[in-house]
Amino acid sequence: MKIASVVVNRNDGYKDLDRGIIHFKFMSETFDEVNYVDWNSPEGSFLWEIENKIPLKGKIKHYCIPSNVVNQIIMDPNAQKCNESISRNIAIRRSEADWIVSTNLDIIPPTRRELKNLIKNLDKDTFYTISRREAPKDIIYNSKLSELRDKLSTIPARHFPAKVTPNDNYSLINCCGDFQIAHKDVWNKIKGFEENMIYACYVDTNAQKKAVLNDINLQVLYEPALYHMEHGAYYTKEDGTRVLDNSNKGPYKGDNKAYNDPWKWVETFEKTYNNENWGLQNVDIEVEVI
């Protein structure tokens, strides 16, 4: 049984380097395959900035989609700068794993033992989301990695039900996209994330509705524990120095120009618009294994 993670990021300073290092170190311990899609970075991949500080075990599959290519795929200037749908689908379609987790760069996953034990009891015809637990900045930035999980272990499970439209029975929890896990056959059946959702928000909820529309069960879990690293962001000042903004009010906060319509993509959504080439399957995309 092979387990993979999929994460996407853009090298613009919003996800700081320290959190990226923590994320990849833990991901490399937990997963057999760690897929990273760098989407629309203006000056080179985020991964290249930290690869000398993370384990190089041949587990990380790095897809780099630069701005000049992105501009040929998505021409709307109001589109989300770091696309959440096409980017993830690129890795999902090319993954060699049996179980695939779509997650985010600010997540610390369960341990390998915890995740393997979980999957032993999962149903191959169910789409799962696991609720995150909030990890404070002071612990994240002031702890040794070897001690981090122990220090976070007292944080309780996060029960945070959510609806984005009146008849939204699909989100199940707030931020349901932090750790979505399903067998590869489920991801293929729903054809991944909806690629016409080129703006911000609701891509994760839509995927969960797609599961239901395809007669796939939907379930939220609160164990095992996984942690969301509270935000601090690096940004570049005019003099070229990089500054860590722990207030989460830096220049990248609120950068999205447009949002996906929840009424269209959640309330009244009835079928997928993705075709058989979802995830740019008909395009030869170079992958770097590190």
Side-chain angles (χ1 to χ4, degrees):
M1 178 181 66
K2 193 172 184 179
I3 314 169
S5 66
V6 171
V7 69
V8 59
N9 188 45
R10 181 172 186 260
N11 196 17
D12 59 6
Y14 179 64
K15 294 291 196 299
D16 68 75
L17 300 181
D18 287 339
R19 281 191 301 158
I21 292 167
I22 294 168
H23 171 86
F24 280 110
K25 282 184 175 180
F26 281 116
M27 285 288 167
S28 296
E29 292 175 0
T30 296
F31 290 92
D32 301 294
E33 176 187 288
V34 179
N35 293 276
Y36 172 68
V37 182
D38 194 273
W39 181 273
N40 198 22
S41 288
E43 296 183 6
S45 174
F46 177 88
L47 192 58
W48 292 334
E49 291 204 48
I50 63 171
E51 64 178 327
N52 64 337
K53 297 181 180 179
I54 59 177
L56 304 180
K57 301 179 179 180
K59 287 186 174 184
I60 300 175
K61 295 171 69 174
H62 176 209
Y63 301 89
C64 187
I65 316 298
S67 297
N68 63 319
V69 174
V70 169
N71 292 336
Q72 297 176 45
I73 299 171
I74 302 175
M75 300 180 184
D76 188 334
N78 293 318
Q80 190 178 27
K81 295 297 184 183
C82 189
N83 175 276
E84 291 287 330
S85 52
I86 302 172
S87 55
R88 294 181 187 276
N89 285 352
I90 286 171
I92 291 170
R93 282 305 299 264
R94 291 160 177 81
S95 175
E96 299 174 358
D98 303 293
W99 290 86
I100 301 172
V101 173
S102 176
T103 186
N104 293 314
L105 198 77
D106 48 21
I107 293 295
I108 296 173
T111 66
R112 180 171 180 81
R113 175 181 291 182
E114 289 171 334
L115 191 58
K116 289 185 72 175
N117 287 340
L118 171 71
I119 289 175
K120 287 178 183 178
N121 297 306
L122 296 187
D123 174 23
K124 291 184 178 180
D125 294 315
T126 298
F127 190 97
Y128 298 91
T129 181
I130 304 181
S131 186
R132 73 192 195 194
R133 305 177 187 205
E134 297 297 336
K137 286 193 290 273
D138 60 338
I139 296 179
I140 294 298
Y141 292 109
N142 296 293
S143 301
K144 296 179 180 178
L145 257 62
S146 59
E147 302 171 350
L148 191 51
R149 277 203 177 100
D150 285 340
K151 289 187 176 182
L152 298 174
S153 63
T154 58
I155 297 174
R158 176 177 174 269
H159 293 261
F160 194 164
K163 286 180 178 285
V164 301
T165 62
N167 294 299
D168 171 18
N169 298 316
Y170 316 101
S171 293
L172 301 183
I173 53 170
N174 175 261
C175 297
C176 57
D178 276 316
F179 208 85
Q180 291 176 305
I181 178 170
H183 192 271
K184 63 180 178 182
D185 293 344
V186 169
W187 287 109
N188 286 326
K189 189 172 184 179
I190 70 173
K191 295 182 179 177
F193 296 95
E194 277 301 292
E195 297 185 352
N196 286 330
M197 298 183 73
I198 61 173
Y199 308 114
C201 294
Y202 315 122
V203 174
D204 47 0
T205 296
N206 173 268
Q208 297 190 176
K209 182 169 187 179
K210 289 197 338 175
V212 173
L213 293 175
N214 281 277
D215 298 318
I216 294 163
N217 299 320
L218 195 61
Q219 187 174 344
V220 60
L221 302 173
Y222 299 95
E223 299 287 348
L226 60 98
Y227 303 98
H228 172 252
M229 292 180 274
E230 192 177 11
H231 288 201
Y234 279 104
Y235 64 95
T236 304
K237 297 172 64 175
E238 291 183 2
D239 63 5
T241 58
R242 286 171 67 83
V243 177
L244 176 62
D245 171 27
N246 274 326
S247 69
N248 199 29
K249 296 179 181 179
Y252 301 100
K253 188 173 177 65
D255 192 43
N256 293 311
K257 296 180 180 179
Y259 293 83
N260 293 306
D261 179 1
W263 198 263
K264 174 181 178 180
W265 294 107
V266 179
E267 186 77 9
T268 62
F269 182 82
E270 293 182 353
K271 65 175 184 178
T272 181
Y273 294 94
N274 290 349
N275 59 34
E276 294 304 319
N277 288 318
W278 63 276
L280 303 181
Q281 185 65 13
N282 58 341
V283 178
D284 185 17
I285 299 177
E286 183 178 358
V287 58
E288 175 189 22
V289 179
I290 64 174

